[in-house]
Amino acid sequence: MQRRAVSELLRVSPVADDLARRFQEAGFSLALVGGSVRDALLGRLGNDLDFTTDARPEDVLKIVRPWADAVWEVGIAFGTVGCQKDARVGDTDQRFLVEVTTYRSEAYDRTSRKPEVSYGDSIEQDLVRRDFTVNAMAVALPQKEFIDPHGGLKDLSERVLRTPGTPEDSFSDDPLRMLRAARFAAQLDFDVAPEVVAAMKDMAGRIEIVSAERVRDELNKLILSTHPRKGLALLVDTGLADHILPELPALRLEDDEHHRHKDVYDHSLIVLEQAIDLEEDGPDLVLRLAALLHDIGKPRTRRFEKDGRVSFHHHEVVGAKMTKKRMTALKYSNELVKDVSRLVELHLRFHGYGTGEWTDSAVRRYVRDAGPLLERLHKLTRSDCTTRNKRKATALSRAYDGLEERVAQLQEQEELDSIRPDLDGNQIMKILGVGPGPEIGAAYAFLLELRLENGPVGHDAAVTALKKWWAERG
């Protein structure tokens, strides 16, 4: 592990050592710290470098401005100065994103959502306030002295998350660290120490003092990680999910020996994993959120039928509304809320077409309803099959293969990606001899329905149909 770290540090040393010398000449210390040291030890250090220093932010600015290619002060209120440095490393030109943070300590009070920042005087004081021991290691530069006062290297080798001090003190200082524990477990595939899990359970309600934006950002990192199921299960088991994503634990419907049905919670996590397996261009937040949330409408729509079956009628519609409400509360962008809730609403549409006998009209409507989300809907629908019945799973897969083939065939013949009537609004007004108004909207809707049902009919046939429709309306 240390050999990997040396190799990684040698790669970035032209940038790191150059910066360290500048701090040294100005009378200050500089050390690579936190996630950068952890990732170097794991052999996965990127070009985002985190440093800590005894220099105050105003002194950091004086040092980095002549050196960096760009400087930003977004985090300066918290003691952090960010900058960009383009450098030649070996035979390649590389871009490094650097953050330099003054030694600090921070704590929440019981009434504030923002941490109170105070600066420290030693690196040891800085490291003890960090979230986990694996993030509380540093490498002093340029001499490259390894600093590990809390046993982070040992915990890293054992793949376990512990806090430098007591977890209660750590989570009291910054409750978001509870969510970060789940995120790091998902990202690194680490286990969380029992005493940390116990503190998370006892202090779960404290997460509500953290702003929705910070919660959302951590949740995104967890969901986009390599092992999101591990982190999500930890959120549910500790009770944290009850405060930030209560729809997820609500999926654990109670068992009923007379009314057996799938474990919706476990099913949703499997769907998420299967959706991840279908990703082609890296992690897809829209797809992953839709997979996780696609069945959250089931608890509210569950009904026990007279024949012993359990039904969840219209759970996709209810779930779409719940998705929109939760994502809005977590301050997601309007576009992301719209896309994820739309996928939740459409995730059962395929099953409404029976055994796969797809007419051209049905295919057109499916494609139009999905719009730019079609490829994601394909992946979500395929992921939603978690049956252990291989015969049933194969039949569903073949039926969806048939749908995708029908979509491809029609796309060759028609412009399915932008289905519109054969006449536009201006043509409609000219033909009918009326100006803008609700009549034109109704005429457009009629022609669109004609297009969906029959495909392109051509200009003349569309004119004839429009005139006939207009005459029938009187």
Side-chain angles (χ1 to χ4, degrees):
M1 188 175 285
Q2 287 176 319
R3 284 196 298 270
R4 286 199 298 267
V6 170
S7 175
E8 294 288 274
L9 292 174
L10 286 174
R11 181 180 66 81
V12 303
S13 63
V15 172
D17 289 348
D18 184 22
L19 184 59
R21 279 191 293 270
R22 291 173 181 267
F23 273 81
Q24 195 174 51
E25 290 168 1
F28 299 109
S29 301
L30 188 73
L32 196 68
V33 73
S36 292
V37 177
R38 179 200 70 219
D39 289 344
L41 288 163
L42 291 173
R44 46 182 277 180
L45 179 61
N47 284 12
D48 291 1
L49 304 178
D50 294 327
F51 297 92
T52 188
T53 181
D54 56 348
R56 295 300 189 255
E58 59 271 17
D59 295 314
V60 174
L61 285 171
K62 291 177 183 178
I63 296 170
V64 302
R65 274 187 173 138
W67 173 80
D69 295 292
V71 176
W72 48 90
E73 303 177 27
V74 176
I76 200 164
F78 299 100
T80 298
V81 173
C83 59
Q84 172 191 313
K85 179 64 175 178
D86 298 329
R88 186 78 174 175
V89 178
D91 297 328
T92 62
D93 293 321
Q94 296 187 29
R95 173 163 294 175
F96 292 87
L97 298 179
V98 172
E99 285 192 348
V100 182
T101 302
T102 302
Y103 298 157
R104 67 187 186 186
S105 60
E106 63 185 30
Y108 278 72
D109 64 35
R110 294 287 173 177
T111 60
S112 175
R113 287 180 177 270
K114 296 182 178 180
E116 298 175 351
V117 177
S118 60
Y119 298 128
D121 299 313
S122 70
I123 193 168
E124 289 77 15
Q125 186 181 359
D126 180 84
L127 293 177
V128 75
R129 58 152 289 279
R130 293 183 176 265
D131 50 9
F132 303 105
T133 60
V134 296
N135 296 329
M137 298 178 284
V139 177
L141 300 171
Q143 65 270 35
K144 294 186 175 59
E145 175 192 352
F146 183 57
I147 304 171
D148 181 21
H150 304 289
L153 182 61
K154 179 177 181 293
D155 287 341
L156 192 66
S157 64
E158 294 177 357
R159 305 178 69 81
V160 64
L161 292 171
R162 302 183 194 278
T163 53
T166 68
E168 290 79 9
D169 285 345
S170 180
F171 298 155
S172 180
D173 284 347
D174 186 352
L176 189 68
R177 291 173 177 171
M178 295 184 286
L179 186 49
R180 284 168 66 85
R183 190 252 286 187
F184 283 124
Q187 282 185 332
L188 304 173
D189 195 20
F190 279 20
D191 293 325
V192 181
E195 69 274 15
V196 177
V197 174
M200 292 169 69
K201 290 180 178 179
D202 292 341
M203 303 178 68
R206 185 91 168 103
I207 195 68
E208 293 190 3
I209 202 171
V210 181
S211 69
E213 291 87 352
R214 295 184 75 209
V215 169
R216 175 204 63 208
D217 291 346
E218 283 297 325
L219 189 61
N220 285 349
K221 292 173 184 177
L222 189 163
I223 291 172
L224 291 172
S225 69
T226 310
H227 306 279
R229 178 171 185 154
K230 188 168 189 173
L232 291 167
L234 184 61
L235 293 182
V236 171
D237 293 342
T238 57
L240 276 165
D242 292 334
H243 301 276
I244 64 172
L245 194 63
E247 295 80 5
L248 185 59
L251 293 174
R252 296 188 298 184
L253 302 175
E254 67 273 10
D255 292 330
D256 187 314
E257 61 181 338
H258 301 296
H259 301 283
R260 298 190 180 278
H261 51 78
K262 283 184 180 179
D263 181 340
V264 184
Y265 168 70
D266 189 59
H267 164 77
S268 297
L269 295 180
I270 293 174
V271 172
L272 172 59
E273 291 178 317
Q274 293 185 165
I276 291 171
D277 290 339
L278 295 178
E279 290 175 338
E280 298 168 327
D281 300 311
D284 183 342
L285 183 61
V286 172
L287 176 63
R288 293 190 184 197
L289 282 169
L292 179 65
L293 302 175
H294 76 284
D295 272 348
I296 62 171
K298 279 191 170 181
R300 291 190 182 180
T301 58
R302 183 172 62 159
R303 297 289 183 273
F304 297 119
E305 306 294 350
K306 293 180 180 179
D307 60 3
R309 293 183 302 108
V310 179
S311 68
F312 304 95
H313 294 308
H314 306 300
H315 76 267
E316 72 281 12
V317 178
V318 173
K321 293 178 180 178
M322 293 171 64
T323 296
K324 182 178 181 179
K325 182 177 180 180
R326 176 54 51 196
M327 290 185 66
T328 300
L330 287 171
K331 307 296 185 182
Y332 280 97
S333 69
N334 291 336
E335 182 179 1
L336 202 65
V337 172
K338 179 182 177 182
D339 287 349
V340 176
S341 58
R342 184 61 169 159
L343 283 172
V344 172
E345 183 181 4
L346 292 175
H347 82 272
L348 284 184
R349 185 66 58 88
F350 163 73
H351 300 284
Y353 287 99
T355 58
E357 297 298 324
W358 288 80
T359 64
D360 288 352
S361 174
V363 174
R364 292 188 195 101
R365 294 174 193 280
Y366 191 83
V367 172
R368 176 173 173 78
D369 289 346
L373 298 171
L374 181 62
E375 288 303 316
R376 288 186 172 115
L377 182 58
H378 286 333
K379 293 172 184 176
L380 177 60
T381 304
R382 288 186 180 277
S383 302
D384 196 22
C385 176
T386 61
T387 179
R388 295 179 182 177
N389 185 321
K390 292 183 178 180
R391 186 175 179 181
K392 183 178 180 181
T394 300
L396 283 171
S397 179
R398 286 176 177 170
Y400 207 84
D401 288 343
L403 168 60
E404 290 203 56
E405 289 172 6
R406 297 286 296 114
V407 170
Q409 289 169 3
L410 275 185
Q411 280 178 330
E412 289 183 4
Q413 303 166 19
E414 309 174 15
E415 295 181 5
L416 287 189
D417 294 335
S418 55
I419 295 177
R420 56 178 60 88
D422 292 88
L423 303 174
D424 62 25
N426 290 328
Q427 291 171 313
I428 294 171
M429 286 188 286
K430 184 176 180 180
I431 293 166
L432 299 183
V434 297
E439 296 91 349
I440 303 305
Y444 189 91
F446 163 74
L447 290 172
L448 178 59
E449 181 66 22
L450 187 70
R451 168 73 169 81
L452 288 169
E453 189 65 31
N454 302 298
V457 298
H459 178 274
D460 293 345
V463 170
T464 300
L466 176 63
K467 288 180 176 179
K468 180 181 179 183
W469 170 84
W470 185 246
E472 290 173 353
R473 284 172 63 93

